[in-house]
Amino acid sequence: MKKATAILTAGIMAMGVITSGVTVFAEETEEKTYSVTYNMNNGNAEDMPEFQFLSGNMKGMVSNESRLYVEIDLTLDGKDAYKLTSDCYVLENGKKAEIGDDTGIGLTLTTTAEGTYTDNGDDTVTISTPEHVHHDMLTDTYSVQMKQSVGMNVLGNEEDGSYDSDDLPELTSMVPETIFTLNDKGEIVTYNYLHPEDYETKDDAEKADTAEAGNELIAIPSDDEATTFTLFDNGTYEFYFASYDVKDNGTYAYDADSQTLTITDANGKETTSTVDGDNVKFHYEYSESNQLTGDFTVEAAALADAVK
């Protein structure tokens, strides 16, 4: 009988705490992971916020490149600790393209962060600035071209490698205080800055660019219609590469006698057009990467009329 009692008591103690003959069960906590994967084929790429806790804003590329994915996982321990993982990768033929494989498009762009969170009690949680962040930024033969186009850098450093807040405390700024909206399906519905006033939005930036550029005179599509070259009335231009969501600004000068358009980019590089019959033609390269280019053809009369 003593043996049976001992077994029963051990079983009860495994379940809770015995106090004065009353069993008090320890509070159960459940770890849960919430996820979202952004990709143009998922139909949610345009809804992805402008920041993804990565070393570059991948929204433009994810919205235009079906092989590129951004996957964000937020694990909550049920108490007050979180782990955030943001992973940007390329799928080629159903498999992740790896660094060094024969595709040349392999990409490792991953952030992991750990800190504390607050459950707001309304399907949202707020994560604090993390206590620890690790970031890997590795590119290959072709994926390296993404660096300039999406502003990929770690606190201004464009070198491939692994970065850790133990050595670089400022790295925690990659994961700002953020409010996540979650659902009971284990999905991240959306997320936003806790203090949006501290960050310039894309719309605000575009409005500022438009105000600075002046009034549009003529928008010239590239021959393949992938890019646009716009001239403004204050002598500035904007080159826009839609697939990468990249804009480039500089100045231009037009000589009516020779029908020549001279373009000077942000780095001082000059591009001069040529006349081909009734057309004016020029080849433009993005000031930060010669991989992003456009060939443009515009009627000479239309150009002259626009900038007169």
Side-chain angles (χ1 to χ4, degrees):
M1 184 68 176
K2 289 183 179 180
K3 182 176 181 182
T5 302
I7 293 174
L8 178 60
T9 301
I12 293 174
M13 291 186 69
M15 295 171 61
V17 179
I18 299 179
T19 305
S20 302
V22 178
T23 301
V24 179
F25 289 94
E27 181 182 355
E28 291 186 7
T29 59
E30 180 182 357
E31 181 178 281
K32 189 168 184 178
T33 298
Y34 299 84
S35 304
V36 63
T37 300
Y38 294 103
N39 176 260
M40 65 180 295
N41 292 328
N42 293 350
N44 64 355
E46 294 291 341
D47 298 326
M48 183 169 68
E50 294 289 336
F51 73 106
Q52 304 91 41
F53 314 101
L54 299 170
S55 51
N57 183 357
M58 311 305 295
K59 182 169 184 175
M61 290 202 67
V62 170
S63 298
N64 290 278
E65 172 54 71
S66 63
R67 296 174 296 178
L68 195 65
Y69 292 73
V70 169
E71 181 178 339
I72 299 174
D73 298 311
L74 178 65
T75 299
L76 309 178
D77 71 350
K79 298 176 183 178
D80 64 356
Y82 76 82
K83 180 178 180 181
L84 173 76
T85 302
S86 183
D87 187 19
C88 180
Y89 54 88
V90 178
L91 281 187
E92 180 74 358
N93 296 323
K95 297 170 55 179
K96 278 190 179 182
E98 304 290 345
I99 303 294
D101 64 21
D102 57 6
T103 67
I105 59 175
L107 174 69
T108 300
L109 196 64
T110 307
T111 298
T112 57
E114 297 170 304
T116 60
Y117 74 92
T118 300
D119 187 337
N120 301 316
D122 58 355
D123 297 326
T124 69
V125 298
T126 301
I127 66 169
S128 66
T129 300
E131 298 165 3
H132 180 260
V133 173
H134 184 87
H135 181 68
D136 292 318
M137 180 176 70
L138 302 170
T139 55
D140 210 334
T141 307
Y142 299 112
S143 59
V144 69
Q145 299 170 13
M146 294 167 54
K147 282 189 173 182
Q148 296 293 346
S149 61
V150 302
M152 194 190 298
N153 67 84
V154 179
L155 302 177
N157 191 335
E158 298 180 359
E159 292 295 320
D160 276 5
S162 293
Y163 297 81
D164 198 282
S165 61
D166 287 347
D167 305 313
L168 193 65
E170 297 88 347
L171 196 65
T172 58
S173 65
M174 289 182 65
V175 183
E177 292 180 282
T178 305
I179 298 177
F180 285 81
T181 300
L182 312 171
N183 66 23
D184 57 9
K185 298 178 181 178
E187 298 169 335
I188 295 173
V189 179
T190 189
Y191 59 92
N192 297 283
Y193 290 121
L194 178 60
H195 302 291
E197 66 277 6
D198 294 339
Y199 302 90
E200 183 181 46
T201 66
K202 182 180 179 183
D203 288 341
D204 290 338
E206 288 179 347
K207 289 177 182 177
D209 288 345
T210 300
E212 181 180 350
N215 299 312
E216 178 181 314
L217 296 177
I218 186 172
I220 308 168
S222 60
D223 297 346
D224 61 4
E225 299 184 346
T227 60
T228 306
F229 199 89
T230 305
L231 304 181
F232 298 93
D233 63 358
N234 64 350
T236 65
Y237 72 82
E238 180 178 275
F239 169 75
Y240 180 58
F241 202 119
S243 295
Y244 292 86
D245 196 24
V246 165
K247 291 182 178 180
D248 202 20
N249 299 94
T251 60
Y252 72 89
Y254 178 73
D255 186 293
D257 293 333
S258 64
Q259 297 181 313
T260 299
L261 184 68
T262 301
I263 301 160
T264 305
D265 71 15
N267 293 326
K269 178 183 175 181
E270 285 193 355
T271 299
T272 303
S273 67
T274 59
V275 177
D276 183 8
D278 294 331
N279 296 319
V280 172
K281 294 189 173 188
F282 60 95
H283 175 80
Y284 185 81
E285 294 181 355
Y286 175 49
S287 62
E288 299 295 335
S289 173
N290 60 12
Q291 300 298 320
L292 303 183
T293 66
D295 290 297
F296 296 87
T297 302
V298 58
E299 290 184 1
L303 177 61
D305 185 60
V307 300
K308 65 183 179 182

